[in-house]
Amino acid sequence: MIRLIGGRVIDPGSGRDEIADVLIDNDRLVDRATPNGDTTVIDVSGYVVAPGFVDLHCHLREPGYEDTETIATGTRAAAAGGFTTLCALADTRPSIDTGSDVESLLTQARRDAMVRVLPVGTTTKQRDGAELSEMADMADAGAVAFSDDGRAVRSASLMRHALEYSLLVERPISSHAQDPDLVDGGVMHEGPLATVLGLKGIPREAEEIFVARDLALAGLTGGRLHLAHLSTAAAVGLVRRAKAAGVRVTAEVAPHNLVLSDAAITARPYDTNARTDPPLRSVEDSRALLEGLRDGTIDCVATDHSPRRWIDKACEFDQAKTGISGLETAFGLLMRLVHSRALSLPELVGALTHRPAGAWGLPYGTLQPGAAADVVVLDPDQAWVVDPERFLSKGKNTPLGGQTLRGTVLMTIANGSIVYRNGL
Ligand SMILES: [Zn+2]
């Protein structure tokens, strides 16, 4: 048994925010100790105890791109970031198209993973947008959602069929909602800064047109739509109206889109580590995303952890691959919103725990007795300097290198095992 004593327990799913002990018996949370148990007591007074974070959007790169990340390194990074459940996207090589692809990913995860890995299958075979994948087969094997993420499903008719299918398999279709024709080789947010830098912009409308399309198709079919990584104010408005009209839609925002803006590209000249997909946008967009998160229009934060090789970022801005290695900085970066009083700590914990779990109907992100023993211990005030070379992820790509973040993960317990310990 493990007994965490004296911490501030924040469990937004059950409305708890109180000083209390948390008890773990094997892989479960319990409300009282069993006699004769061997107990490890850890004093966490002065710190916050919360459910392990749930990430609906994470690229682990295995199989196929093991030089970029593996299940072993990605889940170790997750543990250091406080995440105990990762939904792994399907843009691997081969992509996750069939039940047996899902099974082999789960087998690999059982061997190598430090935290829970839940596979997301593709929406279309090999993500090429021509033919739907074997969703029923993948759902039976354990896929929790379907997505061609990294690419939009270009055909509206195929997206319609995917959403119809989502009803049969009772899993959401997660959409990388972005019109590829309108992206048209753009590399950053289309705005004044792109003009100054001489870089081709991606208009907000690239996202908004596909968000509107997908919302219309979700309304038409009654299917379950999940919108990945929203980045624009108008997209938030579209989702807000659709939810009010009863469309079955959930949505996520990435920490970097919520906290940073396109100005991050100039913190270092043409910083390729700040090239993301969708791009970092304006301060006004970030503000609208935050408002959407606070009022429930956006269901949760998801990291879109996208590790890259050094070589894929050590090049011209318009040649660089997109993405941020985000698992290890998510909490510290998001804490900027708490320290600036834009968000309360329980709101932030909720956006990382029961809200993502609830969006996809996963039984995690809670400290209720009987639930899986996924727990994090956090110090909201401890400052640290981001040193990408010390990341456990193979991806060292972050625009936050050298910056000070205030808020750190002291311990992560996944399924009852201590998988990360930092000074506790
Ligand atoms: Zn995406």
Side-chain angles (χ1 to χ4, degrees):
M1 287 198 57
I2 301 173
R3 181 189 280 265
L4 302 172
I5 58 166
R8 175 183 169 195
V9 175
I10 299 181
D11 182 22
S14 59
R16 280 179 79 194
D17 184 353
E18 60 189 354
I19 304 294
D21 296 351
V22 169
L23 285 168
I24 294 166
D25 190 356
N26 290 308
D27 61 350
R28 297 281 130 187
L29 290 153
V30 291
D31 51 5
R32 75 188 55 140
T34 45
N36 324 317
D38 233 354
T39 303
T40 306
V41 177
I42 303 169
D43 183 358
V44 293
S45 46
Y47 303 127
V48 167
V49 182
F53 301 154
V54 176
D55 190 5
L56 299 184
H57 194 141
C58 172
H59 298 273
L60 292 179
R61 307 293 189 217
E62 186 176 357
Y65 303 98
E66 288 83 356
D67 51 344
T68 307
E69 190 79 290
T70 63
I71 289 169
T73 58
T75 57
R76 204 151 286 149
F83 291 88
T84 52
T85 299
L86 299 181
C87 299
L89 270 294
D91 57 337
T92 49
R93 188 175 53 198
S95 51
I96 308 302
D97 289 342
T98 65
S100 67
D101 293 332
V102 170
E103 276 161 21
S104 48
L105 184 68
L106 287 170
T107 302
Q108 194 65 31
R110 267 191 292 277
R111 198 173 320 156
D112 293 345
M114 301 284 284
V115 305
R116 183 178 303 108
V117 174
L118 303 175
V120 176
T122 54
T123 307
T124 71
K125 286 180 184 164
Q126 291 165 39
R127 302 190 307 127
D128 67 3
E131 198 186 336
L132 288 185
S133 297
E134 297 172 22
M135 287 189 219
D137 216 31
M138 286 194 277
D140 287 345
V144 293
F146 302 99
S147 181
D148 281 1
D149 186 68
R151 283 178 205 155
V153 175
R154 191 184 281 249
S155 155
S157 126
L158 206 57
M159 191 63 178
R160 173 190 183 164
H161 292 314
L163 286 164
E164 283 164 351
Y165 231 90
S166 75
L167 289 170
L168 299 174
V169 295
E170 295 172 332
R171 304 281 193 284
I173 307 295
S174 174
S175 173
H176 177 112
Q178 197 179 49
D179 183 341
D181 294 325
L182 212 43
V183 171
D184 190 27
V187 296
M188 67 172 287
H189 171 57
E190 183 172 302
L193 189 61
T195 311
V196 169
L197 296 176
L199 293 172
K200 187 168 165 50
I202 302 170
R204 295 184 177 95
E205 287 76 4
E207 176 166 312
E208 291 150 7
I209 287 169
F210 265 42
V211 165
R213 181 200 77 169
D214 289 349
L215 288 169
L217 294 172
L220 172 67
T221 57
R224 275 179 72 179
L225 172 66
H226 179 81
L227 293 166
H229 45 55
L230 290 185
S231 77
T232 83
V236 177
L238 290 166
V239 175
R240 187 177 288 124
R241 277 196 293 282
K243 281 194 169 183
V247 174
R248 286 178 84 191
V249 57
T250 53
E252 67 184 43
V253 60
H256 44 271
N257 288 113
L258 202 52
V259 183
L260 305 177
S261 72
D262 58 355
I265 292 169
T266 57
R268 289 187 187 81
Y270 295 88
D271 187 0
T272 55
N273 286 317
R275 182 170 174 195
T276 60
D277 183 25
L280 300 174
R281 295 196 181 272
S282 72
V283 173
E284 292 71 34
D285 289 301
S286 303
R287 205 169 290 147
L289 292 164
L290 179 64
E291 203 179 307
L293 184 68
R294 292 201 65 193
D295 73 13
T297 301
I298 296 176
D299 295 79
C300 62
V301 172
T303 67
D304 195 6
H305 173 73
S306 299
R308 295 294 185 186
R309 298 175 307 171
W310 177 81
I311 192 78
D312 295 325
K313 290 287 194 180
C315 54
E316 296 291 310
F317 194 89
D318 51 10
Q319 301 299 314
K321 290 200 172 167
T322 58
I324 291 174
S325 180
L327 285 169
E328 291 165 83
T329 53
F331 177 67
L333 181 60
L334 291 161
M335 278 302 294
R336 284 189 183 166
L337 300 172
V338 175
H339 291 303
S340 68
R341 299 182 188 276
L343 205 62
S344 73
L345 185 56
E347 280 178 314
L348 174 56
V349 171
L352 289 165
T353 57
H354 78 107
R355 286 173 60 179
W360 285 10
L362 308 172
Y364 308 117
T366 171
L367 292 178
Q368 297 270 27
D374 298 339
V375 183
V376 286
V377 182
L378 308 164
D379 183 341
D381 291 309
Q382 190 181 315
W384 58 288
V385 177
V386 178
D387 178 0
E389 291 313 310
R390 296 184 61 189
F391 280 1
L392 298 173
S393 167
K394 285 193 183 185
K396 313 300 179 191
N397 49 305
T398 175
L400 302 172
Q403 293 189 32
T404 299
L405 300 179
R406 195 145 68 89
T408 188
V409 176
L410 299 180
M411 178 180 281
T412 305
I413 299 171
N415 235 3
S417 304
I418 298 173
V419 291
Y420 178 73
R421 227 174 158 156
N422 168 27
L424 249 193

